[in-house]
Amino acid sequence: GQQVMQIPQYQHVQEGEDFTTYCNSSTTLSNIQWYKQRPGGHPVFLIQLVKSGEVKKQKRLTFQFGEAKKNSSLHITATQTTDVGTYFCAGKSGGSYIPTFGRGTSLIVHP
Amino acid sequence: DVKVTQSSRYLVKRTGEKVFLECVQDMDHENMFWYRQDPGLGLRLIYFSYDVKMKEKGDIPEGYSVSREKKERFSLILESASTNQTSMYLCASSLLGWGTDTQYFGPGTRLTVL
């Protein structure tokens, strides 16, 4: 079945440093979504990528979808303490109705 | 704003009990989902429903059943709770099918089975 691997599992950074989390799928994805979950909270939708090679930006966050539509990344520039949380990717292949979530990357920002 | 509510934030049950987790959304969404979230495992889909009385199994349906009698309400049922069902349960809804639309999550129910 479809697998979505997300790395790293944890990332500690000093406030102001950059952060990147990566998702890799065993199959070609029709689209990928990214979610953020604050500690004690629930996942909140950030963005969806659909096109090969797509790049989208939201302020300090940059999302990329690979050319082969098998990988994606989320990059945060100059992290802030408000960025703390777990970031999940979730991908769906064309032949499946069911999405597969990565295991998430927990970002810890030290002031 | 879309609101997805779940009946309880915390629940403690005993092994063998029948457990009902309720989820209600107020935006007339067609699709509703039940996930469980465990540390290091991310979110795993248990069941989803794309219409009233319609349901489909997700990745881990064993030990669970669901009910969708009304569009706004999606229930998760543990027929006979076991300790390995201790987890955080998250409900979500979306207007369109998954992958074409945003999923809105409820606050979650942390279930402990003793």
Side-chain angles (χ1 to χ4, degrees):
Chain A
Q2 178 185 325
Q3 292 186 5
V4 175
M5 306 298 294
Q6 190 173 354
I7 56 170
Q9 187 174 357
Y10 299 96
Q11 183 77 60
H12 290 255
V13 299
Q14 290 294 130
E15 191 172 16
E17 291 181 340
D18 292 356
F19 160 78
T20 305
T21 174
Y22 301 90
C23 270
N24 293 289
S25 171
S26 57
T27 59
T28 301
L29 301 171
S30 57
N31 55 56
I32 193 161
Q33 295 184 347
W34 285 91
Y35 291 79
K36 177 183 178 181
Q37 185 175 22
R38 293 181 187 275
H42 57 274
V44 174
F45 175 83
L46 293 176
I47 209 159
Q48 176 169 286
L49 304 173
V50 178
K51 298 177 183 176
S52 170
E54 189 170 14
V55 178
K56 287 189 177 180
K57 292 190 175 186
Q58 290 179 350
K59 297 183 180 178
R60 294 177 296 104
L61 278 61
T62 302
F63 304 85
Q64 291 189 320
F65 202 10
E67 294 289 342
K69 300 182 75 173
K70 283 189 166 185
N71 56 73
S72 182
S73 65
L74 158 59
H75 180 82
I76 302 178
T77 304
T79 54
Q80 300 174 358
T81 54
T82 53
D83 295 325
V84 166
T86 301
Y87 294 84
F88 292 98
C89 63
K92 188 178 83 72
S93 62
S96 173
Y97 194 93
I98 300 174
T100 300
F101 275 80
R103 295 189 176 186
T105 296
S106 294
L107 172 62
I108 301 101
V109 180
H110 299 279
Chain B
D1 266 358
V2 174
K3 187 175 258 186
V4 180
T5 57
Q6 295 182 228
S7 50
S8 306
R9 288 301 303 272
Y10 300 94
L11 207 52
V12 180
K13 296 291 182 181
R14 297 208 174 272
T15 301
E17 280 193 78
K18 190 168 186 175
V19 182
F20 292 88
L21 302 182
E22 302 283 335
C23 175
V24 178
Q25 49 93 5
D26 67 355
M27 283 301 290
D28 205 34
H29 283 177
E30 303 289 337
N31 302 275
M32 297 187 74
F33 308 81
W34 274 107
Y35 295 89
R36 65 176 281 177
Q37 183 174 26
D38 300 289
L41 296 180
L43 280 77
R44 292 180 292 169
L45 183 64
I46 304 171
Y47 268 98
F48 67 96
S49 169
Y50 52 89
D51 201 352
V52 175
K53 296 191 186 294
M54 306 304 290
K55 61 185 179 185
E56 292 287 343
K57 293 180 180 179
D59 294 323
I60 51 165
E62 296 79 19
Y64 303 94
S65 62
V66 290
S67 172
R68 188 147 180 222
E69 297 297 318
K70 293 185 178 182
K71 193 175 187 179
E72 67 271 17
R73 189 179 297 268
F74 192 34
S75 302
L76 181 69
I77 303 149
L78 287 66
E79 294 289 341
S80 178
S82 63
T83 54
N84 62 14
Q85 292 178 310
T86 292
S87 186
M88 170 68 84
Y89 290 88
L90 289 162
C91 174
S93 74
S94 68
L95 179 61
L96 303 175
W98 197 95
T100 57
D101 193 16
T102 304
Q103 279 202 349
Y104 297 88
F105 283 84
T109 296
R110 186 166 294 282
L111 173 67
T112 301
V113 182
L114 301 176

